[in-house]
Amino acid sequence: MGSTIDLHIHTNASDGTDSPENLLWEIQKAGIKIFAITDHDTIKGAMKMKKILPAGMRFIQGIEFSCRTINSKCHILGLNYDEHNLDFTAALRRGDALRHEKFNKRIEQLKTKFNINFTQDEIDLLLRTPGVGKPHVANLLVSKGLAANKQEAIERYIDKCKTGNSRIEAEFAIKAIISAGGVPVWAHPLGGEGEAELPEEKFHETLSELISYGLKGLECWYSKYEVAKCQRLEYFAKQNGLYVSGGSDYHGRNKNIPLGKLNARNQIIDAKTLSILRRMNL
């Protein structure tokens, strides 16, 4: 068993494998008491969870925007927003448009670089997939016998397809979240699952830039990070007046990360550690 709080969870509305209904069952089975749904560039999973949530569970509607800064890329979580806010809905439209632009570029690159051609039916099926991204394209490549598994498909083909500038500006996302009354949080600031660790100089450079846009929180506790790194991130958060957040980055079968795992050792983290909960009166 891990922590009973998890503020970074994905459904099949983006690149997770669990429907909100199945995810709710998994969350209850894992003993999670406070949780957030943070799908990539969409709130469809969060809104569905809001409708089916049983009484007594504490749920935070969230999102994870794929963003770019001046010199790098990052992911910004938005927690506890008003989904009807006009600035926020504009950011959603922008993120969705860029995600589809990235998809089209990726399909074209697979064709020109690797001579991989998809039928129109295959492309239409992918486009009907909520939050279509790398895992969905990779699964199709596996089904066509071009890779043994999803990870091989991503490394051999998809990661070698350059899609250029296809992320929403971090400043735009952060300001939209704040306008909607939410809390913008830098997700896995040292690098997410399967990514190289961000050098410390680059971390501080990006942190300063994001703070200048209005960043309010840092995901200090994360499934990939050793406890000492989580504690060091806590130090930087407190030094900069940021809220401390934490989440697993659960994706169901798409990533080998259990719910409630907020550090590499699966040490239990309580509500007192995550100051962001006090900001949301939880």
Side-chain angles (χ1 to χ4, degrees), residues 26-43:
E26 294 289 346
I27 286 170
Q28 291 172 316
K29 186 172 69 170
I32 303 292
K33 304 299 183 186
I34 305 173
F35 69 100
I37 300 301
T38 54
D39 285 317
H40 291 284
D41 305 311
T42 180
I43 62 171

Side-chain angles (χ1 to χ4, degrees), residues 15 99 102-104 106-108 110 116 118 122-123 126-127 129 131-144 146-147 149-150 153-154 157-159 161 254:
D15 55 348
R99 179 168 285 275
K102 180 191 289 187
F103 170 80
N104 291 330
R106 188 169 279 148
I107 295 301
E108 183 62 28
L110 286 169
I116 296 173
F118 296 118
E122 288 171 333
I123 292 174
L126 286 170
L127 287 172
T129 302
V132 62
K134 282 185 184 182
H136 310 102
V137 178
N139 286 335
L140 181 54
L141 292 173
V142 172
S143 73
K144 293 169 79 70
L146 295 169
N149 53 57
K150 180 178 61 186
I154 289 173
Y157 302 110
I158 298 174
D159 280 348
C161 295
N254 277 340

Side-chain angles (χ1 to χ4, degrees), residues 29-86:
K29 186 172 69 170
I32 303 292
K33 304 299 183 186
I34 305 173
F35 69 100
I37 300 301
T38 54
D39 285 317
H40 291 284
D41 305 311
T42 180
I43 62 171
K44 291 179 181 177
M47 294 301 101
K48 183 65 180 290
M49 183 63 74
K50 190 176 179 180
K51 290 179 181 178
I52 64 174
L53 191 74
M57 294 194 74
R58 289 183 283 182
F59 167 63
I60 301 162
Q61 52 196 50
I63 189 169
E64 183 174 8
F65 282 113
S66 301
C67 298
R68 61 184 173 90
T69 63
I70 293 173
N71 295 309
S72 64
K73 61 182 183 179
C74 65
H75 287 88
I76 300 295
L77 301 173
L79 300 176
N80 210 33
Y81 48 75
D82 169 12
E83 68 271 22
H84 303 295
N85 176 271
L86 294 180

Side-chain angles (χ1 to χ4, degrees), residues 158-195:
I158 298 174
D159 280 348
K160 294 177 182 176
C161 295
K162 305 305 178 185
T163 55
N165 174 23
S166 54
R167 289 169 172 253
I168 190 173
E169 299 85 352
E171 181 177 13
F172 187 9
I174 288 171
K175 290 183 175 179
I177 293 164
I178 292 171
S179 177
V183 186
V185 176
W186 185 8
H188 40 69
L190 298 179
E193 180 68 23
E195 296 178 347

